[in-house]
């Protein structure tokens, strides 16, 4: 399923922003939430996810802070910034337009060809 990997690769940032739109999460929780929402069709290894998170943070779309729950080990929790929320909205619109166009081509009626 190399096609799926390529589609995911080009849209990982959008998927991460979508998950963080709803609540701050640490990296492992982000990966599991993407899997859950996609009914396990999209799987992420943390090694793939963390470079994306660092890039989003560098671009000012997410922030992070270290949190410790109940005396456990510290985890870096990522939150969406206002810029990140605006970027997610822009990407969601772009994706919708793109997927609608693809659906029209795949399921559309052929145009009559001149004889």
């Amino acid at each position: 399923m190399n096609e799926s990997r390529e589609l995911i690769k080009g849209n990982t940032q959008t998927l991460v922003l979508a998950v963080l739109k709803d609540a701050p999460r640490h990296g492992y929780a982000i990966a599991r939430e993407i899997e859950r929402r996609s009914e396990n069709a999209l799987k992420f290894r943390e090694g793939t996810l963390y470079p994306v998170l660092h890039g989003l943070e560098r671009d000012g779309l997410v922030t992070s802070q270290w949190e410790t729950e109940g005396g456990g080990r510290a985890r870096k929790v990522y939150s969406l910034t206002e810029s990140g929320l605006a970027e997610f909205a822009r990407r969601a619109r772009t994706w919708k337009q793109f997927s609608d166009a693809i659906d029209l081509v795949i399921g559309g009626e052929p145009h009559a060809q001149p004889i």
Side-chain angles (χ1 to χ4, degrees):
M1 223 199 232
N2 287 336
E3 296 93 7
S4 293
R5 282 194 190 112
E6 288 303 311
L7 288 171
I8 290 170
K9 193 174 173 183
N11 292 288
T12 302
Q13 290 182 336
T14 304
L15 296 170
V16 169
L17 293 172
V19 168
L20 290 176
K21 172 182 66 71
D22 299 323
R25 289 183 167 84
H26 55 84
Y28 181 82
I30 293 168
R32 298 302 75 85
E33 183 64 10
I34 291 170
E35 288 176 11
R36 185 193 69 75
R37 290 185 189 187
S38 71
E39 297 178 345
N40 293 313
L42 305 176
K43 302 226 182 247
F44 283 93
R45 294 187 190 114
E46 285 73 28
T48 302
L49 191 59
Y50 287 109
V52 170
L53 285 165
H54 296 155
L56 290 170
E57 191 169 21
R58 182 186 62 245
D59 295 342
L61 303 177
V62 301
T63 59
S64 67
Q65 65 181 33
W66 288 96
E67 292 184 3
T68 306
E69 278 189 27
R73 53 178 251 214
R75 298 189 292 193
K76 200 173 207 182
V77 175
Y78 297 88
S79 302
L80 208 56
T81 64
E82 288 297 319
S83 295
L85 186 58
E87 179 64 12
F88 169 72
R90 186 192 68 74
R91 288 174 183 237
R93 282 190 308 275
T94 300
W95 178 259
K96 177 76 171 115
Q97 291 168 344
F98 176 75
S99 66
D100 287 349
I102 294 294
D103 286 344
L104 288 170
V105 173
I106 290 172
E109 295 294 320
H111 185 55
Q113 295 291 323
I115 299 179

